[in-house]
Amino acid sequence: MCRITLNYFFNSFWFIILILLTSIQAYANDTSSLCLVWQNNVWAVLLFFILITGVVLAWIKWRIRYIESDRKKLEKQVAAQTSELVMSELALRESERAMQTLVSSLPGMAYRCINNPERTMLFVSKGSYELTGYRPDSIINNKETAYSSLIHYEDLNPVNLNIQEALKEHRPFELIYRIIDRTGLEKWAYEQGQAVYNENREVVAIEGLISDITERKLANEKLKQAKEDAEMANRFKSEFIANMSHEIRTPMNSILGFSELLLDKIDDPQHKIYLQNIQNSGKALLLLIDEIIDLSKIEAGKMKINPEPVNIREIIDGLELIFIKKIQDKGLGWKTDISNDLPYTMLLDETRVRQILINLVENAVKFTQKGHIYLSAYCILPSFQPSRQENGLNDNDISRKIDLVFEIEDTGIGIPENQQKAVFKSFRQQEGQKTKKYGGTGLGLTISKKLAELMNGQVFVESEVGKGSIFKVVFSDVEVVKELNILNTFEISKSNQTAGFKVPESDNHKQAENNISDKEKNRLAELIQLLDHELIPEWEEVKDVFFIDEITEFALKTNKIARDYNIDFLIDYSQRLYDHSQSVNLEDMEKMINEFMVYINRIKSMAN
């Protein structure tokens, strides 16, 4: 349409131009001719104006359509943006609703507060009612009460100090304190919070969560009290076992001692059998008592480990003497293998190491009917060993540590894989084991494992049913010391006689004791320190428990110390105590144990 209109317009335009040119020429010739020209072309002029009007109208219509198109586009854009705004508003409302739901479901009171002494709340969740007894609108802006007024007066200052310290260090804080709710009930609260900062790192507000932990706190208190009660009961149990063992062991030692004496004086074979049965039963009972006492000591934390220089080869030789008869009677093979690089002397508790090995070898002998029993000992050296030339020291001057390993291999009945952990538990034996045939209480392996752990060690087992077992004991970081010339406990070396000091035995011994040199006084001070830190604590335990074997060990240790420092009267005392323990002279043994401090005080008076 527009193109047709334009064509008509241009055609009329040129036609009008033509008329104008003709009119100009006519006007130049004659005025009447001009009028004639216009008269002849009036329809052309009229058509021209009509065309002009059409063009203008077409342009106006086109413009209107263009404006209408822009309006529709603008309306679509407005509609789209309006839709986006509506969706954003709906999403914001949904987010706020979800946040309100989340905050309401939190187990406690979510909050946002001003950092001031009153802790003025700007927002609190609905959990405030359950925690404090106040609804949110009662706490916000301190309408009815300020939150700080609910905190227990004893906890208020520490709470404020901890919060301010955390804010100063720009870190979150955690607090446990008491609050008093609206009804006056005391509750325990756990608060987690952190500050909200502006671009200048200034505190704008504090946000966090406060939870009611009263039930958990009370449960912890009950648990703590129950633990203390259990520990006290365990102490009472240990004391009871110690007292009971004392009451049982004392007459049992007498029975065994006198039955052994009667064996040498009775010729009747039947009576000898009776006495041997008494002895065997008594020894079995004493063994059971010893195991229960050892386990009780370990569980009560009263088992003491006393490391001293030990020769492992002597311990293994001693085991062979103990079990060789049983091994030969059963026709078993016995072999020991000690590695050549195993040091001769190490710091260990000889008594406990021997006890562990005796338990393991005894089990091997008990459960092996044919085949062999092998005992091996070797060491695992650390990855780093100091050089001999380092710092000008030789090997003897360097303190080394090794891992000491014992392996006891047997060809006995074996242990199923699913029971290999259970055999180390108290009073547990292998399922299907014939107790009447093998006997035992199920404590030997338990005690061995716990003793090894006390000495930084572990006990492991590898076993196959019908083929045998290998028990491995590993002591970690055992210190190697210089080889010692281990003498008999009751032998006096010449070096000890010359290095120590002699205390004359005379009626006026106090005067003689005062005539000692300064060097001897220094030795006395060293001895007194040794007595205070080692011997006296051991004597207190021996005196209370009164075990024959522990008294024997105490006498031997006292005798060694006395000979090291050449104290004649202490040597005589320890020798007599040892003799009484070997002859089971209970009355004199108890009397001498009670007199021990008399001799200690005599030594201490020598240093004054």
Side-chain angles (χ1 to χ4, degrees), residues 540-572:
E540 291 175 348
E541 183 176 349
V542 168
K543 176 173 64 71
D544 293 337
V545 179
F546 207 80
F547 295 159
I548 304 299
D549 54 351
E550 292 189 5
I551 291 175
T552 302
E553 291 180 9
F554 174 73
L556 292 174
K557 187 172 183 178
T558 304
N559 187 273
K560 183 178 185 307
I561 292 175
R563 292 187 181 279
D564 287 343
Y565 290 89
N566 205 13
I567 307 295
D568 288 347
F569 61 83
L570 192 59
I571 293 173
D572 178 67

Side-chain angles (χ1 to χ4, degrees), residues 198-236:
N198 60 18
E199 61 276 4
N200 297 323
R201 300 298 290 168
E202 297 173 344
V203 178
V204 177
I206 302 175
E207 295 179 343
L209 180 68
I210 305 173
S211 305
D212 184 355
I213 61 168
T214 304
E215 292 184 3
R216 187 172 68 185
K217 187 74 174 179
L218 294 176
N220 287 340
E221 292 294 333
K222 290 181 180 179
L223 182 62
K224 182 180 178 181
Q225 184 62 43
K227 182 181 178 182
E228 292 177 356
D229 293 342
E231 291 175 350
M232 184 175 294
N234 194 37
R235 287 194 298 269
F236 287 155

Side-chain angles (χ1 to χ4, degrees), residues 176-195:
I176 295 178
Y177 54 86
R178 293 164 292 176
I179 64 171
I180 308 298
D181 70 3
R182 191 169 193 170
T183 63
L185 182 65
E186 182 178 291
K187 295 181 178 180
W188 282 93
Y190 170 69
E191 180 177 351
Q192 295 174 285
Q194 61 183 4

Side-chain angles (χ1 to χ4, degrees), residues 27 69 95 128 140 155 158 250 280-281 314 322 324-325 364 408 457 493 511 516 522 528:
Y27 178 75
S69 176
S95 178
S128 65
I140 292 175
D155 299 339
T250 301
N280 293 335
S281 299
E314 290 187 357
I322 293 174
I324 192 63
K325 187 176 186 305
I408 298 90
S493 65
Q511 180 179 357
I516 60 177
N522 291 334
I528 291 171

Side-chain angles (χ1 to χ4, degrees), residues 468-579:
S469 306
I470 300 176
F471 282 87
K472 181 182 294 186
V473 186
V474 181
F475 296 104
S476 301
D477 295 332
V478 179
E479 186 173 350
V480 179
V481 296
K482 294 180 181 180
E483 182 179 353
L484 300 179
N485 183 18
I486 303 175
L487 303 174
N488 186 283
T489 308
F490 293 105
E491 291 180 357
I492 305 175
S493 65
K494 294 181 180 180
S495 60
N496 280 342
Q497 291 179 356
T498 56
F501 46 82
K502 195 74 174 176
V503 180
E505 291 292 338
S506 62
D507 294 336
N508 192 11
H509 65 82
K510 289 185 178 180
Q511 180 179 357
E513 290 167 355
N514 289 331
N515 296 327
I516 60 177
S517 65
D518 292 339
K519 182 178 180 180
E520 291 172 340
K521 284 186 177 181
N522 291 334
R523 290 270 293 168
L524 269 176
E526 181 183 318
L527 171 61
I528 291 171
Q529 186 176 7
L530 180 64
L531 295 175
D532 288 339
H533 289 84
E534 291 189 20
L535 209 56
I536 293 178
E538 187 172 338
W539 166 76
E540 291 175 348
E541 183 176 349
V542 168
K543 176 173 64 71
D544 293 337
V545 179
F546 207 80
F547 295 159
I548 304 299
D549 54 351
E550 292 189 5
I551 291 175
T552 302
E553 291 180 9
F554 174 73
L556 292 174
K557 187 172 183 178
T558 304
N559 187 273
K560 183 178 185 307
I561 292 175
R563 292 187 181 279
D564 287 343
Y565 290 89
N566 205 13
I567 307 295
D568 288 347
F569 61 83
L570 192 59
I571 293 173
D572 178 67
Y573 165 81
S574 59
Q575 179 68 64
R576 287 186 289 115
L577 180 61
Y578 176 82
D579 292 340

